[in-house]
Amino acid sequence: MLYSQKVLDHFANPRNVGEIADADGIGEIGNAKCGDIMKMYIKVSGDVITDVKFKTFGCGAAIATSSMATEIIKGQKIEDALKLTNKAVVEALDGLPPAKIHCSVLAEQAIKAAISDYYTKQGIDPTSIVGEIPDCCEDCH
Ligand code: FES
């Protein structure tokens, strides 16, 4: 089987799809490798991400990884959400075929971009907190 049961489940029933009308941060990222697009919305209270939703013009693997990533960071502190790597999301899904690993980077990048946007809207320079948003993952090279 090419895809794990968890990947198939999150692809067939993605969690947290949609948008948040009064989002505190919005991140939009394109995947350099395939041209797919991911948009992530977060709601923040104090330093906790209380809600998160995503929309994507992406493949099944992008949908499944974003669904899992949003489940992981919902309710987390911003500092913990920033530590979420695409590798950890892929592991939580019991793996992805190597050719699809780059798809999982969209979710990680979009979360970081949404947090960046949140800080910018608060009048805080996000670069020292969020750091560089990676173009792609090491597996893509
Ligand atoms: Fe573009 Fe998967 S092929 S995100």
Side-chain angles (χ1 to χ4, degrees), residues 19-60:
E19 34 188 294
I20 299 174
D22 58 344
D24 296 314
I26 301 174
E28 188 172 338
I29 287 289
N31 191 319
K33 190 156 175 169
C34 61
D36 288 345
I37 294 168
M38 175 76 57
K39 208 162 177 183
M40 191 76 68
Y41 304 78
I42 56 169
K43 200 76 194 142
V44 178
S45 174
D47 58 353
V48 171
I49 296 174
T50 54
D51 199 10
V52 50
K53 291 216 182 321
F54 76 94
K55 273 180 136 179
T56 186
F57 292 100
C59 69

Side-chain angles (χ1 to χ4, degrees), residues 24 44 46-47 78 82 112-131:
D24 296 314
V44 178
D47 58 353
I78 289 178
L82 282 173
K112 291 194 165 87
I115 293 172
S116 253
D117 182 52
Y118 164 72
Y119 280 122
T120 304
K121 284 189 169 123
Q122 303 296 309
I124 300 165
D125 180 2
T127 41
S128 64
I129 307 165
V130 180

